[in-house]
Amino acid sequence: MRKIYLSTFFLTFCLAANSQTTTFDRVYSILQTNCTGTCHNTANHAGNLDFTAAEPNVYTALVNVTPQNSAAATMGNKLADPGNPRSSFLFKKIARGLDANLSLTAAENPTTHDTLAVMTQTEREMIRQWILFGAKDTGNFVNEQP
């Protein structure tokens, strides 16, 4: 009887551990929800980004990748620069007032997303912190609960 309880506990623990949401899982969901409507999908790879792709493919397309925007590339930006949201073109594009010291130059095409709804402050902050904490595809580094 004891073996059955122990086995059930172990199985439950393993399933719970495998079902945990990582920080990048949440970032991926935010990008799919907010960015795939007209620009970053299988039909239109704006910036060479398809956020409808599988999660590992989106991760590979973002982290330490030089943006196609030549002004951002010249400044040494990456789409997601691990540890540095201010040199992450992805975050600069979505910040829209979240960071008062962060703005796009005219050459970085700051009005590209002006016709789209602004992500919530929580969504933008989630992406900022994901980048700040190393833009990892595993682990849970950001807790949305107070």
Side-chain angles (χ1 to χ4, degrees):
M1 186 70 135
R2 190 176 220 194
K3 287 182 182 180
I4 293 172
Y5 288 124
L6 188 56
S7 296
T8 304
F9 172 77
F10 182 72
L11 180 61
T12 304
F13 177 78
C14 288
L15 290 173
N18 286 333
S19 67
Q20 287 181 344
T21 301
T22 68
T23 299
F24 184 66
D25 289 337
R26 292 182 297 207
V27 168
Y28 176 70
S29 178
I30 291 166
L31 295 173
Q32 285 199 314
T33 301
N34 291 281
C35 306
T36 60
T38 58
C39 299
H40 303 289
N41 54 49
T42 54
N44 182 3
H45 292 100
N48 200 30
L49 294 170
D50 176 7
F51 294 140
T52 63
E55 190 170 321
N57 297 353
V58 171
Y59 180 82
T60 301
L62 286 175
V63 178
N64 283 315
V65 174
T66 301
Q68 285 194 329
N69 179 287
S70 59
T74 299
M75 287 186 269
N77 288 185
K78 299 293 182 189
L79 289 174
D81 186 6
N84 195 352
R86 289 190 175 180
S87 66
S88 297
F89 194 55
L90 170 69
F91 180 66
K92 290 172 73 174
K93 280 291 205 180
I94 65 161
R96 294 174 76 176
L98 187 64
D99 185 334
N101 298 313
L102 186 63
S103 60
L104 295 166
T105 67
E108 291 175 291
N109 201 5
T111 59
T112 303
H113 298 96
D114 283 355
T115 59
L116 303 175
V118 176
M119 288 181 188
T120 68
Q121 184 172 346
T122 301
E123 291 170 330
R124 290 177 288 153
E125 182 63 16
M126 175 64 67
I127 292 171
R128 186 189 75 81
Q129 288 195 30
W130 167 69
I131 294 168
L132 183 66
F133 288 103
K136 298 175 183 170
D137 61 342
T138 59
N140 191 354
F141 308 99
V142 183
N143 184 359
E144 295 177 66
Q145 304 302 320

